[in-house]
Amino acid sequence: MTGSIGTMDRRTMHKVGLPSTDAFGEVNHLANYANSRPTVEQILSEFLLKKEELKEVMRRMQHEMDCGLRLETHDKASVKMLPTYVRSTPEGSEVGDFLALDLGGTNFRVMLVKVGEDEERGWKVETKHQMYSIPEDAMTGTAEMLFDYVAECISDFLTKHHLKHKKLPLGFTFSFPVRHEDIDKGILLNWTKGFKASGAEGNNVVGLLRDAIKRRGDFEMDVVAMVNDTVATMISCYYEDHSCEVGMIVGTGCNACYMEEMRTVELVEGEEGRMCVNTEWGAFGGNGELEEFRLEYDRVVDEMSLNPGQQLYEKLISGKYMGELVRLVLLKLVNEDLLFNGEASDLLKTRGSFETRFVSQIESDSGDRKQIYNILTTLGLLPSELDCDIVRLACERVSTRAAHMCGAGLAGVINRMRERRSQEALKITVGVDGSVYKLHPCFQDRFHKIVRELTPHCDITFIQSEEGSGRGAALISAVACKMAACMLTP
C-alpha cells in the first residue's frame, strides 16, 4: 500500500469500507479522502494480477470442483460439475446422416451432418447448416412458444433439404445449465444469457422439444442426445486430435468441460472409466471466492445485469460484459479528469454503448490510432492522441485480466486431471470455441501463456473448433446410436 488513501488498492478500500464510484461511475467520493488525484496507471493497475493471485484463483476453483463432484457438498458448491452421460469418445467408425440443433444464444442453428468413411483418415464429416434468429417474444414468453419456434425452424430446414420423409437421429446442443439424468434427458436448472421462457426451468428439455415436434406433426425425429456446447466442442475436436479431452467456450459466455474419472463423479453410479463433466464454472464466485478480486466496475456490471449475484466468474471474462467493463473504466478516468478533458459524451454515459467488438478493434489498431479515433468519434467524442493511447491501455488491461482469470480456471482443471490420473506429466489437447477466443487479437496468446505457466508438468495443445457445437452434437448422436445398437445386439 502506498502512503495516501487516494492511491490505495481498491480491493483494500472495499475491505475497509471506503466509498467508491456510484453505479455509473459518475460520482467520485475518493477526492474527499485523497490529497492528490490518482494517475491513469494507478487506476488501471488494479486489473494486473500477480502469478500468486492467479494460483490462488486456481486453488479455489479446484476446491469448488471437488465440492461439486461430491454428493454431500454438491448442492452448496458454486461449480456444479454436472455429469453429461457422455462416457466415450468417437472411434471414427460411426457413419450415417445426423441432424444437429444448436441453441445457446439469440441465434439458433440447424445442421445436417454426414459422417462417412474415408480411406486415408478412416472418417469424414460434411455439414450443411442454416441460422435462424430467435424472436424476443420466444426468448421471454413461454417454453411452449420457444420450442414451437424451434420445431418450426427444423421443419423449414428439412423442407429445404428434402428430408421430411426421413427419421434422422438428432443431437441437441443446449448451452444452459442442465442436470442430466441420461444422455437424452436433462433438467434445465436456470436460464442465462437473456432467456426467460417460463415453464422450462425444472423441466426435461428434451421432453419439451419432443412435445413441440409432436404438436407440429409434419415430421418425425429421434432425439438421441443433448449436450452442452463445451462438450460438443470437445467431441468435435477429438476427431482432429484424439488427445482432446477438454472443451472450452470463451464467447458471450464462458464455460469448460473435461473427461473426469468415474470413481470421483459421485452423482452417477459406477467406478470404471471416465465421463465428461460440464463444470458450469461461470458460476464460480457464488460462495464469495472472488470477492477480493472483483473491482468496483465488476460490482456495477453485476448489479445492472439480468442475474445479479450469479455467474460472477463469467462476468470477469466473457464477451457479454467486457465492453461494458471498459466503458465504466473510461468513465472513471473521465471523472478523475484524466481522459477527454474530463467530459464524457452522452453516448459514453449510456450503458451498453461500448461494445465488446470495440475492444478487439482497438487492440487491433496498427499504431496510427485511426481505428481507435473512428470508434471514439462514433461515441460522440473528440479524442487527442493521448486519449486514444489511454483508451487502448484500458482495453488491454481489461482483456488481459479476462485471459488470465480464464487461464487460472483452465489450469486448475488440467492440473486436477493430471493428479487424478497419477501422471508425472500429462499430454492433453484442449478444444476451444467462442467469439472472444477467435476474434480478439491478443486473447489467445495471453491465455495460452498463463495456462502453460500455471501447469508446469503438462504438455498442452490448443485446437480452435470449427462448427464445433453442431458437429459435436451430431458426432455424440452417432456414438449414442452405436452404443444403443451394441446394447441391443445379443
Side-chain angles (χ1 to χ4, degrees):
M1 186 187 300
T2 54
S4 75
I5 294 173
T7 54
M8 188 185 292
D9 186 289
R10 294 303 184 278
R11 299 167 203 163
T12 308
M13 283 170 39
H14 178 71
K15 282 180 183 174
V16 299
L18 287 182
S20 182
T21 55
D22 74 328
F24 290 95
E26 290 163 2
V27 179
N28 177 22
H29 301 293
L30 286 177
N32 298 328
Y33 297 88
N35 296 321
S36 60
R37 185 174 288 123
T39 65
V40 169
E41 182 52 42
Q42 283 168 342
I43 288 172
L44 296 183
S45 67
E46 297 178 314
F47 287 92
L48 298 174
L49 291 164
K50 297 184 177 107
K51 195 169 177 182
E52 278 310 311
E53 290 179 299
L54 292 171
K55 284 181 178 177
E56 182 59 27
V57 171
M58 180 181 77
R59 284 190 286 268
R60 293 181 191 184
M61 175 70 80
Q62 290 177 326
H63 176 264
E64 289 300 310
M65 286 169 60
D66 292 343
C67 289
L69 287 169
R70 290 201 300 271
L71 266 175
E72 61 180 322
T73 51
H74 172 80
D75 288 345
K76 293 180 181 177
S78 63
V79 182
K80 289 301 183 190
M81 305 296 283
L82 302 172
T84 66
Y85 289 81
V86 174
R87 298 172 189 263
S88 65
T89 43
E91 298 171 2
S93 58
E94 303 86 356
V95 295
D97 291 355
F98 302 89
L99 205 67
L101 311 181
D102 184 4
L103 177 61
T106 51
N107 291 317
F108 167 68
R109 187 166 56 156
V110 185
M111 181 183 289
L112 175 66
V113 182
K114 292 178 174 287
V115 184
E117 294 178 352
D118 182 273
E119 285 184 13
E120 286 183 21
R121 303 179 72 178
W123 53 269
K124 63 180 178 180
V125 181
E126 297 173 358
T127 60
K128 296 176 185 175
H129 73 267
Q130 185 164 340
M131 291 286 251
Y132 298 88
S133 183
I134 301 176
E136 182 76 19
D137 59 350
M139 289 172 65
T140 58
T142 65
E144 195 169 286
M145 288 166 62
L146 175 61
F147 284 94
D148 280 349
Y149 177 73
V150 169
E152 181 186 326
C153 295
I154 298 171
S155 178
D156 176 73
F157 183 86
L158 293 174
T159 299
K160 285 178 179 172
H161 291 87
H162 311 291
L163 293 167
K164 274 278 180 76
H165 62 288
K166 278 191 158 187
K167 185 178 180 180
L168 296 173
L170 183 148
F172 187 16
T173 301
F174 186 74
S175 305
F176 300 93
V178 165
R179 176 169 284 114
H180 277 266
E181 295 178 2
D182 209 330
I183 197 165
D184 66 345
K185 185 178 182 183
I187 308 302
L188 174 63
L189 297 177
N190 56 276
W191 285 118
T192 57
K193 302 180 232 180
F195 279 73
K196 291 284 180 185
S198 61
E201 293 180 349
N203 283 313
N204 174 21
V205 177
V206 173
L208 294 172
L209 176 59
R210 285 173 175 154
D211 290 346
I213 291 170
K214 277 182 190 172
R215 277 195 301 274
R216 187 164 185 89
D218 64 341
F219 65 91
E220 286 188 71
M221 200 60 53
D222 187 13
V223 187
V224 296
M226 180 177 71
V227 294
N228 183 270
D229 53 356
T230 58
V231 183
T233 294
M234 181 189 79
I235 293 294
S236 180
C237 290
Y238 180 88
Y239 258 66
E240 308 298 324
D241 180 342
H242 281 19
S243 296
C244 187
E245 292 186 88
V246 181
M248 253 189 83
I249 303 289
V250 194
T252 305
C254 182
N255 192 19
C257 72
Y258 70 103
M259 297 301 290
E260 176 61 273
E261 308 303 306
M262 273 292 292
R263 67 179 185 276
T264 69
V265 186
E266 293 185 8
L267 275 69
V268 178
E269 289 184 12
E271 297 282 319
E272 297 300 315
R274 293 171 184 155
M275 178 180 284
C276 183
V277 168
N278 166 21
T279 65
E280 284 296 337
W281 76 13
F284 177 54
N287 291 331
E289 311 94 312
L290 292 170
E291 281 315 290
E292 69 263 43
F293 301 104
R294 295 173 67 225
L295 305 175
E296 55 192 275
Y297 322 101
D298 301 309
R299 297 178 195 284
V300 173
V301 164
D302 179 43
E303 286 162 15
M304 302 303 291
S305 70
L306 288 169
N307 54 347
Q310 298 175 28
Q311 303 296 109
L312 297 181
Y313 183 60
E314 183 171 77
K315 286 170 181 169
L316 301 175
I317 297 167
S318 79
K320 187 169 179 64
Y321 309 100
M322 192 183 289
E324 181 64 4
L325 283 169
V326 171
R327 187 187 74 86
L328 293 170
V329 173
L330 299 185
L331 283 179
K332 170 77 169 190
L333 293 167
V334 169
N335 294 335
E336 295 288 358
D337 205 19
L338 295 166
L339 188 63
F340 308 137
N341 291 320
E343 293 184 16
S345 65
D346 287 342
L347 258 179
L348 189 64
K349 292 176 185 176
T350 304
R351 189 157 60 95
S353 62
F354 199 97
E355 299 174 36
T356 295
R357 65 187 174 93
F358 294 165
V359 181
S360 294
Q361 290 164 2
I362 285 169
E363 290 193 60
S364 298
D365 188 88
S366 60
D368 61 9
R369 304 181 183 88
K370 281 185 181 176
Q371 196 149 294
I372 304 173
Y373 183 85
N374 289 339
I375 288 168
L376 295 176
T377 53
T378 63
L379 292 169
L381 299 157
L382 286 173
S384 66
E385 287 191 352
L386 179 58
D387 288 335
C388 290
D389 291 343
I390 290 171
V391 170
R392 181 181 185 127
L393 184 60
C395 290
E396 285 176 359
R397 290 291 169 83
V398 172
S399 64
T400 298
R401 184 190 67 163
H404 287 177
M405 270 286 181
C406 189
L410 182 63
V413 169
I414 291 173
N415 283 331
R416 188 56 98 235
M417 290 174 79
R418 183 183 68 81
E419 290 164 13
R420 293 260 202 264
R421 299 177 186 189
S422 303
Q423 294 181 1
E424 284 188 27
L426 177 68
K427 184 176 171 60
I428 192 88
T429 296
V430 180
V432 196
D433 204 346
S435 54
V436 171
Y437 184 83
K438 287 182 170 179
L439 302 178
H440 189 283
C442 311
F443 188 93
Q444 282 191 31
D445 289 343
R446 295 168 186 162
F447 171 66
H448 294 172
K449 185 172 185 289
I450 201 68
V451 172
R452 290 185 172 120
E453 282 182 24
L454 295 172
T455 55
H457 304 292
C458 302
D459 177 5
I460 305 168
T461 302
F462 292 92
I463 296 182
Q464 187 169 295
S465 171
E466 299 301 330
E467 296 183 338
S469 291
R471 277 200 344 165
L475 296 171
I476 290 167
S477 300
V479 173
C481 287
K482 186 174 180 180
M483 288 174 70
C486 289
M487 288 173 70
L488 291 171
T489 305

